[in-house]
């Protein structure tokens, strides 16, 4: 009986993590990304904010979501501007993303092309 109660009370914790891109360039961008579950290219218009994808990740405790290394979620990520220039930023690095309560956001600017 005690074993049954203990197994019912034990939990695995997890949270959803959203990846969002903001295009502040003066032209549209094409965002290519690959995760473990999908590989997609999306066009993001100038001035547009787009929620790219949501992933569920197990958390180490009940107080999640927790910040983690984005390269655990992103296999490949490339941003190309309408004039075919490719962004110089490493989108598999946490330095490229800001994090707030389960949402990773990256702002794309003309300066990175």
């Amino acid at each position: 009986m005690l074993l049954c109660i203990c197994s019912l009370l034990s939990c695995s914790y997890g949270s959803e993590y959203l990846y969002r891109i903001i295009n502040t360039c003066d032209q549209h961008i094409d965002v290519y990304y690959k995760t473990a579950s999908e590989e997609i290219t999306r066009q993001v218009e100038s001035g547009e904010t787009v929620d790219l994808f949501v992933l569920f990740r197990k958390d180490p405790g009940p107080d999640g979501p927790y910040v983690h290394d984005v390269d655990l979620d992103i296999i490949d990520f490339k941003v190309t501007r309408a004039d075919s220039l490719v962004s110089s930023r490493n989108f598999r690095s946490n330095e490229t993303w800001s994090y707030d309560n389960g949402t990773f956001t990256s702002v794309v600017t003309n300066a990175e092309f």
Side-chain angles (χ1 to χ4, degrees):
M1 179 73 161
L2 183 58
L3 181 58
C4 289
I5 292 172
C6 289
S7 64
L8 287 175
L9 294 177
S10 66
C11 300
S12 61
Y13 304 102
S15 299
E16 289 186 339
Y17 293 88
L18 169 68
Y19 284 81
R20 175 178 290 152
I21 199 97
I22 301 171
N23 180 11
T24 65
C25 295
D26 56 6
Q27 51 192 293
H28 80 263
I29 57 174
D30 291 319
V31 178
Y32 162 81
Y33 63 88
K34 182 178 180 182
T35 67
S37 61
E38 62 185 351
E39 184 173 3
I40 294 178
T41 300
R42 295 196 52 189
Q43 185 169 312
V44 181
E45 296 300 325
S46 176
E48 188 176 24
T49 299
V50 173
D51 293 346
L52 296 175
F53 57 93
V54 176
L55 296 174
F56 182 83
R57 172 167 292 288
K58 289 186 177 184
D59 291 332
D63 298 325
Y66 296 89
V67 67
H68 60 273
D69 289 334
V70 298
D71 67 348
L72 297 173
D73 296 335
I74 299 170
I75 296 169
D76 195 12
F77 200 106
K78 181 171 75 172
V79 175
T80 307
R81 204 166 59 179
D83 58 8
S84 299
L85 294 176
V86 179
S87 172
S88 60
R89 293 170 61 207
N90 177 6
F91 288 91
R92 293 192 68 222
S93 168
N94 281 45
E95 294 174 4
T96 304
W97 301 88
S98 62
Y99 176 81
D100 182 39
N101 197 33
T103 300
F104 289 94
T105 303
S106 187
V107 178
V108 179
T109 66
N110 281 321
E112 64 195 71
F113 293 95

